[in-house]
């Protein structure tokens, strides 16, 4: 599983570093099955993903459940490797905001 490991989120399209690193260094942790955890800002959750291959390559598509402050939240997203230590992706809230992001392997 190429996506397995801990990743620090370094940039988000819709939120600045002051927000996404406000409680902890924003991160994703992905295991060898494509599952994992994440936190950015006051958003935390668990990922349930699978590898999807298409003409543009391979990516990990996922759904997620968790919380945004004290409210339940869920959504979807994807991850794509730029190189072995850099990925880009997208978090989408169900019926809400979405943001592209970049992350570096820890």
């Amino acid at each position: 599983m190429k996506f397995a490991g801990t990743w620090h989120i370094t940039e988000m399209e819709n939120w600045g570093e002051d927000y996404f690193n406000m409680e902890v260094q924003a991160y994703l942790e992905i295991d060898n099955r494509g599952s994992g955890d994440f936190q950015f800002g006051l958003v935390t959750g668990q990922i349930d993903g699978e590898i999807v291959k298409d003409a543009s390559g391979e990516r990990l598509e996922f759904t997620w459940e968790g919380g945004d402050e004290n409210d339940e939240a869920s959504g979807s997203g994807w991850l794509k490797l730029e190189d072995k230590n850099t990925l880009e992706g997208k978090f989408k809230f169900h019926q809400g905001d979405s943001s592209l992001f970049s992350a570096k392997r820890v």
Side-chain angles (χ1 to χ4, degrees):
M1 164 67 78
K2 298 179 203 177
F3 298 95
T6 301
W7 302 83
H8 283 170
I9 297 172
T10 57
E11 185 176 349
M12 295 192 87
E13 176 184 45
N14 290 342
W15 298 289
E17 190 173 348
D18 288 348
Y19 173 73
F20 66 76
N21 286 330
M22 78 178 347
E23 283 197 333
V24 299
Q25 165 68 56
Y27 71 91
L28 295 151
E29 289 181 350
I30 308 295
D31 66 21
N32 286 324
R33 298 169 310 169
S35 298
D37 299 302
F38 70 90
Q39 180 171 353
F40 62 87
L42 300 175
V43 180
T44 61
Q46 294 79 44
I47 290 171
D48 178 21
E50 68 179 352
I51 299 294
V52 175
K53 296 179 183 179
D54 62 21
S56 65
E58 185 176 270
R59 63 189 203 170
L60 180 72
E61 293 185 356
F62 61 86
T63 57
W64 66 269
E65 291 184 341
D68 183 0
E69 295 189 52
N70 292 322
D71 298 324
E72 289 185 15
S74 63
S76 61
W78 54 265
L79 306 173
K80 179 180 175 185
L81 288 172
E82 291 298 305
D83 60 49
K84 72 177 190 169
N85 293 315
T86 308
L87 61 77
E88 66 177 28
K90 182 176 187 176
F91 277 106
K92 181 185 180 320
F93 286 80
H94 181 71
Q95 297 184 336
D97 292 334
S98 66
S99 183
L100 295 172
F101 68 92
S102 298
K104 297 281 186 191
R105 188 182 300 272
V106 177

